[in-house]
Amino acid sequence: MEAFDILLTTSFWVAAIRIASPLIFATMGELICERAGVLNLGIEGIMTAGAFAGWITVYAGGDLWLGVAVAALTGVVFGLLHGFLTVPLGLSQHVTGIGITMLATSLTYFTYRVSLPEVTSPPKIEPFQPFAIPGLSDIPLIGPALFNQTPLTYLAYVTVALVAWVLYRTPVGIAVRAVGENPSAVEAQGISVTAMRMGAVALGSALMAVGGAFLTMSAFNSFFFEMINGRGWICIALVVFGSWRPGKALIGAILFAAFDAYQVRLQQVTGGVIPYQIFLMMPYVLSILALIVVARRATYPKALMVPYQKGER
């Protein structure tokens, strides 16, 4: 009974939304890339680079929002590199993505050591603080969870709405989806497939980097190695779980975050009777099971991971 009561506590849902926020940014970024036909396995490294770029900007004296902008720009740079190698050159998206992750992660760690050679513990910054929306934050249970969060969490909500609106209600979004389904038809309309895919990968990578920056500038107040901790790979799975739709992917991110928040509290309830490793793997096992159930009915973009050269039919 005590385990069930966890689900009815405000603190549990506050934590779940906070944990979901970086996943939402990165999942939306990966979704945009894949909708355009490009698998971006560089997500883990891009999130790491974004986390560091945003944090070091603020640590050096910059504004918090400047840190977010620098993180996004860092993501764009790595996204353009990934896009250049996979779109016009047509290199393997799997190999290139893993290479981007290794490059971004290694460059981040190298820059950290060069910038702070004498530091033994990560320096701290003043992160974003929770902002309660008057009226809405007073709603029982869901009010504090949804409407008493940091500005970056609110930005994550807006990002989902914008991505959904652009993809399904604007000519640019329709072109992006068409590039991921039938690039030759897009080219026949006089639209550059290369430009559309490169732009989608750059924008998607910017959102991934902002997801990483959330961890150093909103969830925590410093940068430390391994802080991304596989969140990028989870986001790739969430795109599949959401059937490449922003709304469903959002639900998936919140579910995974709820599993994660639940296992922490469940450890406290059991009092150490069950090995803590069992609880740590719970969110991932449950996510895999959910992915197996949903993925069998998912309809993926037909041109995903398929290189395209101008003039091909």
Side-chain angles (χ1 to χ4, degrees):
M1 188 63 181
E2 192 174 354
F4 177 77
D5 290 341
I6 293 174
L7 301 176
L8 303 178
T9 61
T10 300
S11 61
F12 165 74
W13 289 107
V14 170
I17 297 299
R18 184 177 65 249
I19 294 170
S21 296
L23 300 178
I24 293 170
F25 281 116
T27 300
M28 291 301 107
E30 182 66 30
L31 187 147
I32 292 172
C33 294
E34 294 192 20
R35 271 296 190 176
V38 180
L39 176 67
N40 192 346
L41 294 182
I43 182 171
E44 188 84 0
I46 292 172
M47 289 183 72
T48 301
F52 175 76
W55 170 80
I56 197 67
T57 299
V58 178
Y59 180 71
D63 178 75
L64 284 170
W65 287 110
L66 177 62
V68 174
V70 171
L73 182 60
T74 301
V76 168
V77 171
F78 284 108
L80 288 175
L81 176 60
H82 180 65
F84 174 72
L85 294 173
T86 58
V87 180
L89 298 186
L91 301 181
S92 168
Q93 295 179 12
H94 295 91
V95 175
T96 301
I98 296 296
I100 292 294
T101 282
M102 296 175 66
L103 174 64
T105 302
S106 300
L107 280 177
T108 297
Y109 294 165
F110 174 77
T111 306
Y112 179 92
R113 291 304 185 190
V114 170
S115 303
L116 304 166
E118 306 297 330
V119 170
T120 56
S121 60
K124 293 178 171 52
I125 63 171
E126 187 64 33
F128 284 102
Q129 298 299 314
F131 173 76
I133 298 179
L136 295 177
S137 61
D138 297 327
I139 301 174
L141 190 63
I142 65 170
L146 295 178
F147 306 114
N148 190 16
Q149 298 281 354
T150 65
L152 281 185
T153 294
Y154 299 135
L155 182 60
Y157 302 159
V158 173
T159 298
V160 175
L162 279 176
V163 170
W165 178 73
V166 170
L167 285 178
Y168 293 98
R169 293 291 184 268
T170 68
V172 172
I174 293 172
V176 168
R177 290 190 292 123
V179 162
E181 295 287 347
N182 190 348
S184 60
V186 174
E187 185 187 39
Q189 297 298 317
I191 300 173
S192 171
V193 173
T194 298
M196 292 301 301
R197 285 186 167 179
M198 289 282 289
V201 174
L203 176 60
S205 298
L207 290 177
M208 296 173 191
V210 173
F214 179 95
L215 295 173
T216 52
M217 300 169 59
S218 191
F220 306 107
N221 58 2
S222 61
F223 174 83
F224 52 90
F225 300 136
E226 306 299 335
M227 73 181 313
I228 302 303
N229 196 30
R231 286 180 174 86
W233 312 126
I234 289 297
C235 292
I236 294 175
L238 289 175
V239 172
V240 180
F241 176 86
S243 302
W244 289 268
R245 293 180 177 274
K248 291 184 178 180
L250 169 64
I251 294 173
I254 294 175
L255 281 175
F256 177 83
F259 293 153
D260 200 5
Y262 186 71
Q263 63 88 10
V264 173
R265 286 155 178 79
L266 202 57
Q267 289 185 51
Q268 301 169 353
V269 171
T270 58
V273 176
I274 302 175
Y276 75 93
Q277 292 90 346
I278 299 294
F279 297 102
L280 290 177
M281 74 178 187
M282 274 181 53
Y284 301 93
V285 172
L286 292 174
S287 297
I288 291 172
L289 293 176
L291 188 62
I292 292 173
V293 173
V294 174
R296 297 180 64 181
R297 300 191 300 271
T299 303
Y300 63 91
K302 296 298 186 293
L304 180 61
M305 296 184 292
V306 179
Y308 180 80
Q309 297 297 326
K310 186 175 182 179
E312 285 186 349
R313 289 292 184 270

